[in-house]
Each structure stands twice: as structure tokens, then as C-alpha cells.
Amino acid sequence: MSEAGSKILLEMQHITKRFPGVTALDDVSLIVRAGTVHALMGENGAGKSTLMKCLFGIYSMDEGKIFFEGQEVSFANSKQALESGVSMVHQELNQVRQRNVMDNIWLGRYPRKGIFIDEKKMYEDTKAIFKSLDINIDPRQKVTSLSVSEMQMLEIAKAVSYGSKIIVMDEPTSSLTEKEVNHLFRIIKKLQDDHVAIIYISHKMEEILKISDEVTIMRDGQHIATKYAEDLTTDEIIKLMVGRDLSHRFPEKVNHPENVILKVSNLTAETQPSFKEVNFDLRKGEILGIAGLVGSKRTEVLEAVFGMRALQSGTIELHGKQVDNHSPQHAIKNGFALVTEERRSTGIFPELSISFNSIISNLPQYRKGIFLSDSKVHDDTKWVIDSMKVKTPSQKTSIGSLSGGNQQKVIIGRWLLTKPDVLLLDEPTRGIDVGAKFEIYQLINLLAAEGKGIIMISSEMPELLGVTDRILVMSNGRAAGIVNTKETSQEEIMRLAALY
């Protein structure tokens, strides 16, 4: 560990936080050193975010003390935390998207020249921060025109503008490409060189082991262990997180693929550049993975099969008969279902109930004249909760309050109510902790065993190799090959992914 890394910057002692009916944090302690990356890991619901919200002044503690730079602190709100040198880059980016970049950085504390805002100074200060972090964004650009990674860079720059000595990053790479992740890691290294400490929350094991100095693992609101990253392995982290040995990270396969039910021939997108002449088939009871680098058009192929993208040419046959999925409505009627990649933006209605989110794709089935059948809605929602093993207080609970894994189970259950023959899954475990991932894998496996044909996109190579029967590899909009999962390797898949 570096000399800077030996200095204790933050010490949280015996933190306890209770909510009605639950103890979210139970006597948790944390030490963070200057100039280090301290990873915070645990399943959804382990208490990671609650602990950080206690630090950041969003929640008040019931018990415990916080020392920052040797002084006891208790921030009443996030403004106090920011002004004291503690900032947080949230997973859900909250920005004023219709304003420009520099407005978002200096909002509420504009530099002034007399009674007027000093636009020139604001621009120059923003450019200086961007230059120090190697960020190439125009300060006058509208936030709404930025990519997700650029929005995250903006939030990090805002934290730096406060002179932050600790920056909390919550799942910062969940929406980033590999190139963007590497850029983020370079920025983190620059911050470390300036003795800034990073508290890094992520579910990505390989990422954690690559970037972290120390790792704290939490489970069920308690501190389980803090260890140097160099002394840990992925399997050890998983065992500490879930409290059980998950050397078998994937469930035993119980499905047995049968005859071909879906045949896709020469599929070519109408809009270019996209995919062209894609061919594959899917068997009853089979899990077909789709691999490929960012930009390989994996998602576009699934969206075309589901009727969300226009085709220039090609055919889709289900049970030997050609189907025309001109729209998602046609696709649903023809026996297809799609679980989208962006769960929060295109998968759920976060403020509405589990019940509403369970039935929304199958609404005509519940009509009773001009009303909905309350009993059928109740029964089908109960089926989703029970069969998908959704952890929730009631059907009326808003889905946005559930963990990512439980939200995903509700979405899968919703689509199963449409009784599909083919289930399309785009990154089904993205942003989900390791324990919930295992449950989703089990669910996918069982659905295939019941005869569903499943096509699953994943950017995680171990996931594809652990769950699927065959893997279609996409490369720059072309199908580079199909491999049998048992007979392939990561090296072969990567070679095919880089073929075109």
C-alpha cells in the first residue's frame, strides 16, 4: 500500500440503523485510507447503500460515530457532506438534463462577478477540472446529449470541484463499455495520486480485484470481513458475501434440448449499419447464448426477432411456420417474450405496484367488461410472486422498492403469464448480486427444462459458459459462428467475436 494509503481518512464506528420492522445496519465499522480504492461488497440488501447514506447525511444513524480526518462528524444532509469533502456518485444519475454541463457542476454555487454569474470563470474552471481528469466534454454542451459514461464523468468532475477527499461510486460501470471502464479506471488512478479515497460499490468480482486496495464484505446488515484485495479470490469473496460455498457458481443443468422450434434465416436489418444475414436455430428446451463485443449488434438481433426493428430481408419460422413479427404486439401473439437490458428504464413502472407490473403485458386477459377482474389479477400476481420466489411484503408494494434481482423475477414472471414459446433475455443478470444471479440461473434452467426455448445475451463470459447449451457469437453485425458450450472456451469465443 502507498504512503498516502497508510493515513486513515474515514472511520465509521459501530454504525446501527433501524427502520420499522428491520435492522438495516447492525454494529458496522469501516476504515478508509487516503489514496486508496476501498471496495464495498455484498448482496442486494446487505446494507452497503444504507451505510453510505448514513455517511452522506441522507440517513441519520441510531447508534455509532463517524470520524473524518480525525474529527467526529455527523452530516445533517448531503450539502454538508459535499462542503466537507465527501461526495457520492449515485447509480441513478440525477442531473438537470436540459441545462448544460457546467451549469450542472456549479448549480447552487455559481461564481459571481458582482450580482451576475461569471460565465467565463465557470467555463475556465470546468475546463481545468476536465483537463486534470482527461475528460473531453464541451462545458457548454447540453447534458441531454451526453452518453451514460459522459454523465458519470460529469458527476466525478462535480465531486472534484468540491475538493472531495472521499468519493463514493455506486455501481459506476454497470452501463459502460470496456473502453469506457478503462477510462474510468484511469480517472480513479489520477484521483488516488491526489490522495483522494474512493469507496467503490460493485458486483463485478474481476473489476473489484483489479482496482481495489481493500475490500469490505457485508451480509444482512453486518460487517463480515475487510481484507486486502491481493489476498482474495473471486470464490472467497462469493463465500463471504452469501455465507455459503458457491464454488459451483451455476446450478446443475436439468434441461434437455429437443427438436428445433425456431429458425431464423438471413435476417438483415433495414437500417444500416446494423446486422446482416444472421442465421441460427433454437431447440425446444434449449438455452442459446449470444456473445459478442460492444457494437456487435446482439441486442439489435433480439429486438428484430421481437418486432422492435424493421427488417430488410430474412424470415423467422416458429414450429415450422413463418411468422411476421411486425411489432411487439404481433410478437407476443406469436409466442415471443422479451426481457430488455435496461430494466429500470424499459422494464418496470417503478412507482407502481408489483401487481400492476405483473399483469401489464397480458392486460386483455383480465378485462371484465370495462373493468379488470380483481380476483384474476390477484391470482396471477400471487402466481408470479410464488413461482418466481419474489421477496416482497405484499402485492401492493411498489416494484421500485425491491432489489434488482426481485425486480427481474417479476419481469420474467410477467412474460411467463403470456405463455411464450420463446423467451428472449437481454443481460438478465445485469446489476444483480451474486446470490440473486444464482436464483435467476436456476429459474432460466427450470424454464428450459419445462420446454421453453430461451435466447440469452450476456457480456459475462463465465455466465454464458455456465448457463447455456450453445453460443451464437456476433461480430460487427455478422453471425461469426455457433459453438457448443461444453466444447468451447473463452479464447475461441473471443476469436470469433473479433472475426469481422
Side-chain angles (χ1 to χ4, degrees), residues 462-474:
E463 183 169 272
L464 286 172
L465 294 170
V467 175
T468 65
D469 300 298
R470 291 185 300 147
I471 301 170
L472 163 67
V473 186
M474 294 291 295

Side-chain angles (χ1 to χ4, degrees), residues 185-299:
F185 288 175
R186 288 195 298 273
I187 288 175
I188 288 173
K189 183 67 175 68
K190 286 175 182 284
L191 292 169
Q192 284 184 268
D193 291 343
D194 291 334
H195 307 321
V196 175
I198 309 294
I199 300 177
Y200 194 91
I201 301 174
S202 177
H203 291 123
K204 296 184 179 180
M205 306 288 172
E206 292 78 9
E207 195 174 275
I208 289 292
L209 293 175
K210 178 180 179 180
I211 198 175
S212 304
D213 297 294
E214 293 181 87
V215 180
T216 289
I217 292 121
M218 296 179 65
R219 184 172 72 238
D220 298 330
Q222 296 182 326
H223 173 274
I224 300 301
T226 295
K227 299 193 176 190
Y228 291 119
E230 61 189 16
D231 296 334
L232 286 166
T233 65
T234 297
D235 285 343
E236 286 170 328
I237 292 174
I238 291 171
K239 188 173 182 179
L240 288 165
M241 279 174 62
V242 302
R244 58 186 184 279
D245 187 357
L246 270 187
S247 52
H248 301 294
R249 290 169 64 182
F250 304 97
E252 183 181 348
K253 290 186 70 61
V254 293
N255 62 311
H256 302 287
E258 300 174 19
N259 53 300
V260 171
I261 57 169
L262 176 70
K263 189 173 181 62
V264 172
S265 306
N266 299 314
L267 217 60
T268 299
E270 185 175 271
T271 306
Q272 299 297 334
S274 192
F275 60 87
K276 58 183 178 180
E277 297 177 357
V278 173
N279 296 276
F280 64 89
D281 57 38
L282 176 70
R283 294 171 172 82
K284 180 179 181 180
E286 180 182 34
I287 304 169
L288 174 68
I290 302 184
L293 303 173
V294 171
S296 63
K297 310 302 180 186
R298 300 167 302 172
T299 293

Side-chain angles (χ1 to χ4, degrees), residues 11 16 79 94 142 152 169 176 238 297 308 329 333 363 368 431:
E11 189 167 1
T16 296
K79 184 173 182 288
N94 297 313
K142 282 273 187 76
Q152 284 191 320
M169 297 186 183
L176 303 190
I238 291 171
K297 310 302 180 186
M308 293 173 66
Q329 289 75 19
K333 286 179 182 176
L363 215 50
K368 196 174 182 182

Side-chain angles (χ1 to χ4, degrees), residues 319-388:
H319 301 304
K321 293 176 64 176
Q322 186 170 329
V323 294
D324 294 315
N325 291 345
H326 293 307
S327 68
Q329 289 75 19
H330 282 102
I332 293 167
K333 286 179 182 176
N334 290 331
F336 294 80
L338 171 65
V339 176
T340 59
E341 177 183 9
E342 292 292 340
R343 177 176 65 245
R344 291 178 183 85
S345 59
T346 61
I348 62 170
F349 297 87
E351 303 302 323
L352 298 178
S353 67
I354 291 169
S355 180
F356 179 89
N357 278 275
S358 295
I359 67 163
I360 188 61
S361 294
N362 207 27
L363 215 50
Q365 301 297 317
Y366 304 99
R367 295 207 183 280
K368 196 174 182 182
I370 61 171
F371 301 104
L372 297 181
S373 169
D374 288 343
S375 61
K376 185 162 175 49
V377 168
H378 177 274
D379 290 348
D380 280 4
T381 304
K382 185 176 186 303
W383 178 86
V384 168
I385 291 170
D386 292 347
S387 61
M388 301 292 108

